[in-house]
Amino acid sequence: MPSFDIVSEVDMHELNNAVDQSNREISNRYDFKGVDVSIQQNESVLVLEAPSAFQIEQMMEILIQKMAKRSIDVACLEKGKVEEALHKAKRVVTVRQGVEAELAKKIVKLIKE
């Protein structure tokens, strides 16, 4: 029986470019002028920081647009909850790669049938 591999990878270089473009657009937008906001990338973890949860959501929309334009599947994003504390909001977004073990077993079983 022939074998096959299922690959689910995110091009980290394209992700880095999407984050850079998002930061650039956010710094140029009038509604973010004079506000301390940022999207930071550490390997496959993105941290969005802003003064309010509303601004975090706006930043998330910009990031998703930039990722889609660079052909990155936005379904790979695992969004954490927005944490608010004294004039600061933060959201951790994890970029998932690969297929989970249970899902891989189901796929193999379906293909073998």
Side-chain angles (χ1 to χ4, degrees):
M1 175 177 256
S3 67
F4 63 93
D5 291 328
I6 297 175
V7 179
S8 173
E9 292 181 343
V10 174
D11 185 354
M12 296 308 279
H13 182 68
E14 289 296 329
L15 178 64
N16 190 22
N17 289 339
V19 169
D20 287 343
Q21 283 184 342
S22 299
N23 277 325
R24 211 171 304 124
E25 181 175 330
I26 289 167
S27 68
N28 290 331
R29 282 183 48 159
Y30 69 93
D31 52 345
F32 286 107
K33 289 287 184 192
V35 179
D36 184 28
V37 296
S38 68
I39 302 174
Q40 300 168 352
Q41 179 183 0
N42 184 10
E43 295 295 321
S44 62
V45 177
L46 306 175
V47 179
L48 289 76
E49 293 179 333
S52 70
F54 177 72
Q55 289 173 322
I56 293 281
E57 294 303 322
Q58 288 180 320
M59 292 167 60
M60 196 69 207
E61 288 178 25
I62 293 169
L63 179 63
I64 288 172
Q65 286 177 349
K66 298 301 179 189
M67 289 176 68
K69 284 183 181 177
R70 295 195 151 274
S71 301
I72 299 173
D73 185 13
V74 295
C76 71
L77 297 179
E78 189 174 302
K79 303 173 192 172
K81 289 187 177 183
V82 177
E83 302 167 6
E84 289 189 84
L86 294 177
H87 308 294
K88 203 70 165 164
K90 178 179 172 181
R91 172 181 258 176
V92 177
V93 179
T94 306
V95 180
R96 292 180 291 152
Q97 295 193 52
V99 179
E100 295 160 359
E102 284 185 34
L103 181 59
K105 288 178 184 179
K106 286 180 184 179
I107 292 171
V108 170
K109 182 180 177 183
L110 287 171
I111 291 174
K112 286 184 178 181
E113 288 176 358

